[in-house]
């Protein structure tokens, strides 16, 4: 995990550098979508995440899940041409369920959508988790078992080929820096992988 994220970022920057270095201008059907080259889109957003690690029961007893107490957050991001970067964090005033313990967390998302390709890299880093359901592994049924030493971290990458990129704009749907004038879709070829 320590070496995986830097390798993913280096790969992404290499892909972006190659696409700009070659100065490849793509042509698309302008009756389907409009492109605004050089535009900068800034965003401030609210996020609500539902992350956790579930431990199924082997003997039909209660299953439990470790969850961070940082499910709500504020995000900042930007989009420029093919590249988007978002950073979200959970301020303490938004996650004040003190009965679930204190958690710290942030997430980083990187999106690159050059012509006919879609690349998404997502990460999340959380420290301090509680056990759901309430009362599991505690003396009182109305409390949560909290572990400040439990971390929940994940990283994922998705890479897809968008064969109908001449008429379908991935940007219009995902980053709003292009305008899809006519309805259109595309099959996607590729895959995704996650590490928790």
């Amino acid at each position: 995990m320590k070496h995986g994220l830097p390798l993913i970022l280096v790969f992404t920057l290499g892909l972006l550098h190659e696409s700009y270095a070659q100065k490849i201008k793509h042509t698309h059907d302008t009756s389907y979508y409009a492109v605004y080259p050089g535009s900068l889109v800034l965003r401030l957003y609210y996020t609500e995440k539902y992350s956790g690690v579930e431990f199924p029961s082997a003997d039909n007893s209660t299953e439990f899940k470790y969850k961070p107490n940082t499910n709500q957050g504020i995000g900042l991001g930007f989009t420029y041409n093919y590249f988007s970067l978002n950073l979200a964090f959970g301020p303490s005033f938004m996650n004040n369920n003190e009965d679930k313990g204190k958690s710290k967390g942030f997430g980083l998302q990187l999106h690159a959508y050059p012509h006919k390709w879609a690349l998404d890299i997502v990460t999340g880093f959380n420290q301090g988790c509680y056990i759901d359901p309430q009362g599991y592994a505690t003396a009182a049924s109305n409390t949560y078992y909290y572990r400040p030493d439990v971390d929940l971290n994940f990283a994922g990458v998705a890479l897809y080929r968008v064969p109908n990129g001449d008429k379908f704009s991935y940007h219009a749907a995902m980053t709003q820096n292009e305008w899809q004038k006519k309805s259109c879709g595309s099959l996607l070829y590729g895959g995704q992988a996650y590490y928790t």
Side-chain angles (χ1 to χ4, degrees):
M1 176 68 180
K2 291 181 181 178
H3 302 293
L5 185 59
L7 289 175
I8 291 170
L9 292 174
V10 167
F11 170 77
T12 303
L13 294 175
L15 177 70
L16 292 173
H17 174 71
E18 182 179 324
S19 66
Y20 285 118
Q22 293 178 3
K23 300 288 184 193
I24 297 173
K25 293 223 174 207
H26 75 274
T27 58
H28 67 280
D29 189 335
T30 57
S31 67
Y32 275 85
Y33 68 90
V35 176
Y36 304 103
S39 62
L40 176 66
V41 177
L42 302 174
R43 69 183 62 83
L44 172 67
Y45 61 94
Y46 165 81
T47 181
E48 191 160 351
K49 298 182 179 181
Y50 299 95
S51 57
V53 176
E54 187 172 323
F55 293 89
S57 170
D59 60 358
N60 293 330
S61 59
T62 305
E63 297 179 352
F64 69 93
K65 183 184 283 192
Y66 272 109
K67 294 179 174 181
N69 188 15
T70 56
N71 61 334
Q72 297 182 53
I74 294 175
L76 303 169
F78 74 90
T79 298
Y80 182 74
N81 288 336
Y82 297 133
F83 178 75
S84 291
L85 182 67
N86 298 316
L87 176 65
F89 55 96
S92 58
F93 71 87
M94 295 182 75
N95 298 290
N96 58 3
N97 299 325
E98 293 183 13
D99 57 332
K100 295 179 180 177
K102 293 193 181 274
S103 298
K104 298 177 189 174
F106 76 93
L108 182 69
Q109 297 179 2
L110 179 69
H111 307 282
Y113 303 137
H115 184 60
K116 295 199 175 191
W117 288 97
L119 174 67
D120 298 298
I121 298 172
V122 295
T123 64
F125 304 97
N126 299 283
Q127 182 179 24
C129 293
Y130 69 95
I131 288 183
D132 187 32
Q134 189 177 31
Y136 189 89
T138 62
S141 62
N142 62 345
T143 61
Y144 288 94
Y145 183 74
Y146 171 71
R147 292 278 305 268
D149 60 329
V150 172
D151 296 344
L152 177 60
N153 303 319
F154 70 89
V157 61
L159 180 63
Y160 290 99
R161 178 80 168 147
V162 185
N164 196 21
D166 296 333
K167 295 182 179 179
F168 172 74
S169 168
Y170 218 81
H171 288 275
M174 304 304 281
T175 59
Q176 295 83 44
N177 67 335
E178 292 182 355
W179 175 35
Q180 186 79 46
K181 299 177 187 178
K182 290 184 185 178
S183 181
C184 188
S186 180
L187 293 173
L188 299 176
Y189 303 104
Q192 53 188 322
Y194 293 91
Y195 174 81
T196 302

